[in-house]
Amino acid sequence: MSFLNLFAKIRPAYEIPGDNLVGEVLVPAMRVCDDLRIEVGFFSSRCLAQIAPGLASFINDTNSTLKLMVSPILEEKDQVAIQRGISDPQTVLNQTMERLFQEARISESAIERHTVDSLGYLVASDRLQIRVVLMERGVYHKKIWLLGFERQWLAVHGSGNATERGLLVNGEQMSIDRAWMDGEQSETRVGIFLEQWARRWNNQHPMSLTVEVGHALEILRGFTGLIPPTIADFWEAWYCDHKAGLEPELPQGYRPVRIDHRMKIPEALIWREGRFAHQGSAVDAIVENGGGILSMATGSGKTRAALIATAEIQDSRAGHLCVVVLVPTRPLIRQWAEDIRGFGIEPVVLSGKGKLRRQQELEQLTFAFSSIHSRTEVLVVSNSLFMRKDSEVRSWLESLPSTIYRLLIADEVHNLGARSFVDNLPDFFSRRIGLSATPIRQYDPDGTDQLFGFFGGAPLFDFSIGDAIKAGCLVPYRYHLHVARLDADEMDYYEDLTEQLVRAGFHVDDDGRTVGLSDRVARLLRDRRALVEQADAKLGLLESKLKSIGAESVSKTLIYTSAKPVVPGKTKQLIAVNEMLQHLNIISHQYTAEETGSRQSSKILALFDSGDYQVLTSMKVLDEGVDIPQTDTAFLLASSTVEREWVQRRGRILRNAPDKETANLHDFLVIPPELDSPSAKSLLRSELRRASAFADLAENEYDLDGPNQIIRKLEDSLWTA
């Protein structure tokens, strides 16, 4: 990444403590600069421990020279010796710096020893110069960092010394000047800094003496080995100090890098026997086939199966493993992060963070992978972030050395059949695992074929909702059909939208491919489905059923409303349902995508679980990946025509929960007022297709008042129409 682009969004001032000067500015700049000059007072070897990640990158990634112009802390006898002319400054300062390095070398702190090793390597490679400044009066007290790249300069200056307290703890203020973009005043100021540096570095300042400390550097030269110190060495030193209670504070945004960082299957996890025995079969299929797609019902444990398979793949080979989990939604990101922690690893969640923070996380992963110890890192990334044209996440993954094994886990893998993914496949993953309850993309066989090809073929393991109910992974359910008839105005609108679709060339061919799917057609299809979802008759049927249950008896109930644009002339369905519940004295709270992203989310679910809220009203909450397993009754006002959504929504409602033995699903089947046109019959067939799929596994399918009776009667009407 260009130096200029990397610092395009940093702030002009950083306050310490609180702001992340080290992580956002100093460490990234040291990684890419080709000229590094540090001018500070109160110098100690320990100060550079705080910028060790940047120092390690500077050692390994650049060939430039580090120039330090410092003022070491002189002992009183040394100050007297210089003032009285007993010893010349050159000798005293060399002895002072030698003593500083020797003390650091034999220090109890492994970090201090690592720091002098790093400086020693720079000396051995002729890339470190240190000069000491003595003032005629007062103390040399500057604090300026000058970082150059391709003749452009970044200046960091203010009150903070290059010490642990100065960079992280004390109340300090540091300003940033980007000479190439911050205007004429900034360019002038940086120019003055460079002129002043040159004058003092070359001992041309009339009020100070600048002395080279060549002999002290020879001490450092003796500390170095043939292999340059790395960030992995720093973290090993950090953990040594941690055990001894000596470690410094970490810069903001940096987390300790554990040396033993490998996935471990939880000992208490049962996955080869009992109701989750199918997970063992799924894991075996993944491991034996080197990846593939698992087609497993929502609630059957496909996340767990994928993580177990990943742990087994990890244990079957030596070296580093980088796992990337792609997910479509924010709630799923949180759920995956929690599950990964159960396997003994803290995931790196990149979505929801700013670009600089993401870059910092990726830098730390690069450092972590430099360890000589085999390690596993798991990144959780949203589909949208990964598929950006300028995705730094993808670029970073592509840049990893071939010695790092890369594994992809794609949750809700059907989403990746879209053109933005299949037209730019990430072929750098050594293994690929796809997860979905419904991996086939309805009306998109080409996208399905490309997706299956990337993940190694058709699903290698299938575990349906029916299988999950039989195994006890999901609870059985009763299916209640409520017939909602469109009124004349609604049917006229439906017919008009259908005619517009036909004129636009939309149809489904014999192979199931959607033909003529333009932006206009997509909008018309959405509007037609919105009309069906928001049929007025549904609200009356819902109110009637709630009254028959009784307000005091309603509990653990979810009402799923339309998320599509409001049909002209109608009230938003969610608002209408909320008002209805209030009128019926049923205590409810809406739980939409907005609530899932708020701090109130867990509180709302807790109150629902305790019974304080009898009903949750929602729109796309189930599609967002939020689990509400305590729900035992659901009213599906917004029943979809997309098979994938049927399976997902039904599976989520059937999840196991304490004292939950069965679930009740209430579906609203929309029919035309008359079967007097092809579009009317098509509407009914579409609705019956979903109803038949739901009824097929219901406990009450063949009851006298069960769903099959309603379905058969409506099917007969199609034959006689």
Side-chain angles (χ1 to χ4, degrees):
M1 177 180 290
S2 165
F3 180 88
L4 309 186
N5 291 336
L6 181 62
F7 296 101
K9 294 184 178 179
I10 63 173
R11 288 172 294 150
Y14 284 75
E15 184 180 34
I16 300 169
D19 293 339
N20 189 10
L21 176 71
V22 173
E24 289 185 9
V25 183
L26 295 181
V27 170
M30 291 177 70
R31 288 198 66 201
V32 296
C33 69
D34 54 28
D35 195 339
L36 176 57
R37 306 176 186 182
I38 303 176
E39 191 173 5
V40 290
F42 301 115
F43 174 73
S44 72
S45 62
R46 185 173 173 80
C47 72
L48 291 182
Q50 293 308 314
I51 55 170
L55 185 60
S57 292
F58 180 82
I59 289 172
N60 289 277
D61 294 347
T62 72
N63 293 311
S64 58
T65 300
L66 168 60
K67 296 178 180 178
L68 290 173
M69 193 151 51
V70 301
S71 176
I73 301 173
L74 297 177
E75 295 182 1
E76 184 176 354
K77 63 182 181 65
D78 293 328
Q79 295 178 19
V80 171
I82 292 174
Q83 290 169 358
R84 294 182 177 178
I86 300 172
S87 299
D88 65 272
Q90 181 81 56
T91 301
V92 172
L93 293 175
N94 268 300
Q95 291 173 347
T96 299
M97 297 300 288
E98 288 173 12
R99 185 166 56 246
L100 182 151
F101 295 138
Q102 291 281 14
E103 289 174 353
R105 185 60 177 167
I106 63 174
S107 168
E108 292 182 14
S109 169
I111 290 179
E112 288 193 32
R113 296 194 299 271
H114 166 77
T115 302
V116 295
D117 285 345
S118 299
L119 295 175
Y121 183 84
L122 288 173
V123 171
S125 55
D126 295 322
R127 293 172 53 207
L128 174 65
Q129 297 178 34
I130 301 179
R131 297 184 182 181
V132 175
V133 178
L134 290 177
M135 303 294 295
E136 286 188 9
R137 287 177 144 187
V139 179
Y140 179 69
H141 209 242
K142 284 193 175 184
K143 300 104 177 179
I144 300 176
W145 301 61
L146 295 166
L147 303 112
F149 183 82
E150 296 177 356
R151 299 184 181 180
Q152 298 290 356
W153 289 92
L154 174 78
V156 181
H157 53 98
S159 63
N161 279 307
T163 63
E164 177 184 348
R165 301 193 66 82
L167 292 173
L168 299 174
V169 180
N170 290 342
E172 309 282 4
Q173 185 73 49
M174 300 296 284
S175 298
I176 311 296
D177 277 302
R178 299 165 296 185
W180 67 91
M181 67 177 296
D182 287 339
E184 184 177 348
Q185 287 288 331
S186 181
E187 185 178 9
T188 301
R189 188 161 40 246
V190 173
I192 292 172
F193 290 158
L194 290 168
E195 290 173 6
Q196 291 175 345
W197 166 278
R199 182 169 53 167
R200 204 176 294 273
W201 180 262
N202 295 315
N203 196 25
Q204 296 173 346
H205 195 287
M207 304 299 290
S208 66
L209 173 67
T210 302
V211 179
E212 291 193 48
V213 287
H215 292 295
L217 296 188
E218 291 305 310
I219 295 292
L220 281 172
R221 190 186 299 273
F223 295 154
T224 186
L226 297 176
I227 301 174
T230 67
I231 187 58
D233 298 325
F234 168 76
W235 285 119
E236 291 195 29
W238 193 93
Y239 271 97
C240 287
D241 284 4
H242 175 71
K243 291 177 182 178
L246 300 172
E247 83 279 3
E249 292 187 57
L250 286 171
Q252 179 184 339
Y254 279 84
R255 52 190 169 81
V257 176
R258 280 174 34 200
I259 294 173
D260 178 23
H261 202 255
R262 304 275 281 176
M263 293 181 70
K264 295 179 179 64
I265 300 172
E267 292 183 4
L269 201 60
I270 299 173
W271 53 282
R272 286 201 177 276
E273 57 189 25
R275 64 179 182 176
F276 289 107
H278 61 279
Q279 291 179 358
S281 300
V283 169
D284 291 341
I286 287 291
V287 174
E288 291 170 9
N289 287 274
I293 293 177
L294 300 180
S295 177
M296 297 173 64
T298 299
S300 62
K302 54 184 180 289
T303 298
R304 182 183 296 173
L307 291 174
I308 295 170
T310 300
E312 294 215 331
I313 291 170
Q314 165 203 269
D315 293 342
S316 69
R317 58 182 310 280
H320 299 317
L321 174 63
C322 181
V323 182
V324 177
V325 180
L326 290 185
V327 294
T329 64
R330 285 184 300 171
L332 276 176
I333 288 173
R334 291 195 293 268
Q335 289 179 23
W336 268 96
E338 183 177 346
D339 289 335
I340 292 164
R341 292 185 186 104
F343 281 72
I345 280 188
E346 181 62 31
V348 178
V349 179
L350 295 177
S351 298
K353 296 176 179 175
K355 190 168 185 176
L356 280 174
R357 184 65 185 276
R358 290 197 301 270
Q359 183 66 30
Q360 179 180 320
E361 290 278 13
L362 294 174
E363 286 173 354
Q364 187 158 349
L365 286 173
T366 301
F367 301 150
F369 279 133
S370 68
S371 172
I372 60 173
H373 303 281
S374 295
R375 65 184 300 107
T376 297
E377 293 286 353
V378 183
L379 289 71
V380 184
V381 187
S382 68
N383 293 350
S384 58
L385 176 60
F386 184 81
M387 291 188 286
R388 287 180 187 172
K389 290 183 178 179
D390 61 343
S391 173
E392 72 269 40
V393 180
R394 182 164 174 151
S395 298
W396 177 82
L397 286 165
E398 290 179 302
S399 71
L400 288 178
S402 58
T403 53
I404 298 176
Y405 202 71
R406 284 158 288 191
L407 185 150
L408 172 66
I409 301 175
D411 197 12
E412 308 295 352
V413 70
H414 48 267
N415 290 299
L416 298 183
R419 295 255 61 88
S420 56
F421 184 81
V422 298
D423 286 347
N424 189 22
L425 293 171
D427 293 323
F428 46 80
F429 286 107
S430 305
R431 294 205 186 189
R432 304 148 192 180
I433 301 172
L435 309 174
S436 179
T438 52
I440 295 175
R441 290 173 60 84
Q442 192 173 357
Y443 308 128
D444 184 16
D446 291 338
T448 299
D449 290 345
Q450 289 178 288
L451 191 64
F452 285 4
F454 179 72
F455 282 91
L460 52 87
F461 184 80
D462 184 79
F463 195 74
S464 67
I465 282 185
D467 295 328
I469 292 174
K470 289 177 184 177
C473 301
L474 299 177
V475 300
Y477 67 95
R478 298 178 65 81
Y479 182 52
H480 309 279
L481 264 180
H482 307 283
V483 177
R485 193 181 299 272
L486 294 177
D487 63 29
D489 289 339
E490 289 172 330
M491 192 63 207
D492 285 344
Y493 187 33
Y494 187 91
E495 295 276 17
D496 177 61
L497 291 170
T498 302
E499 289 176 9
Q500 291 186 58
L501 284 165
V502 172
R503 290 197 299 270
F506 171 76
H507 68 281
V508 178
D509 66 17
D510 294 338
D511 295 325
R513 289 178 170 81
T514 299
V515 178
L517 192 58
S518 63
D519 290 343
R520 179 168 180 268
V521 165
R523 185 175 64 254
L524 290 169
L525 287 171
R526 181 199 62 197
D527 291 345
R528 191 172 69 170
R529 191 60 218 170
L531 173 66
V532 175
E533 290 184 2
Q534 299 168 32
D536 287 338
K538 291 184 179 183
L539 295 176
L541 291 167
L542 173 64
E543 184 173 15
S544 176
K545 184 61 184 177
L546 291 173
K547 285 180 177 178
S548 70
I549 295 172
E552 68 284 351
S553 300
V554 174
S555 67
K556 302 290 193 297
T557 296
L558 175 70
I559 300 178
Y560 197 96
T561 67
S562 176
K564 292 184 172 58
V566 179
V567 175
K570 295 183 184 292
T571 301
K572 187 174 184 179
Q573 199 174 59
L574 179 67
I575 295 174
V577 170
N578 288 341
E579 291 175 350
M580 176 195 301
L581 294 171
Q582 186 176 11
H583 174 72
L584 295 174
N585 294 317
I586 295 173
I587 302 172
S588 68
H589 200 292
Q590 74 177 35
Y591 193 74
T592 65
E594 182 178 347
E595 280 74 29
T596 64
S598 74
R599 295 180 180 178
Q600 295 296 312
S601 175
S602 57
K603 182 178 180 181
I604 294 170
L605 294 183
L607 290 171
F608 178 65
D609 190 33
S610 67
D612 291 294
Y613 291 138
Q614 298 169 269
V615 174
L616 291 183
T617 58
S618 67
M619 293 189 297
K620 295 194 68 174
V621 66
L622 298 184
D623 299 334
E624 290 286 329
V626 174
D627 291 330
I628 311 178
Q630 58 269 48
T631 302
D632 59 23
T633 301
F635 290 90
L636 307 179
L637 293 177
S639 293
S640 172
T641 58
V642 180
E643 184 175 354
R644 167 175 48 82
E645 294 180 357
W646 308 345
V647 177
Q648 288 179 326
R649 294 173 187 178
R650 185 171 31 157
R652 293 194 185 282
I653 295 165
L654 302 184
R655 284 183 178 269
N656 277 294
D659 302 322
K660 181 178 176 181
E661 297 181 356
T662 189
N664 286 282
L665 307 187
H666 293 265
D667 195 4
F668 296 81
L669 190 147
V670 175
I671 67 171
E674 301 289 343
L675 292 172
D676 55 358
S677 68
S679 60
K681 294 176 182 179
S682 177
L683 168 61
L684 180 54
R685 289 192 188 97
S686 176
E687 291 286 281
L688 286 173
R689 182 166 167 263
R690 180 190 73 251
S692 296
F694 272 62
D696 186 51
L697 296 175
E699 285 193 323
N700 64 330
E701 178 183 8
Y702 293 108
D703 288 3
L704 291 178
D705 59 347
N708 192 57
Q709 297 296 318
I710 298 172
I711 291 169
R712 295 290 172 263
K713 188 180 295 184
L714 290 170
E715 287 177 339
D716 289 344
S717 69
L718 280 170
W719 286 103
T720 58

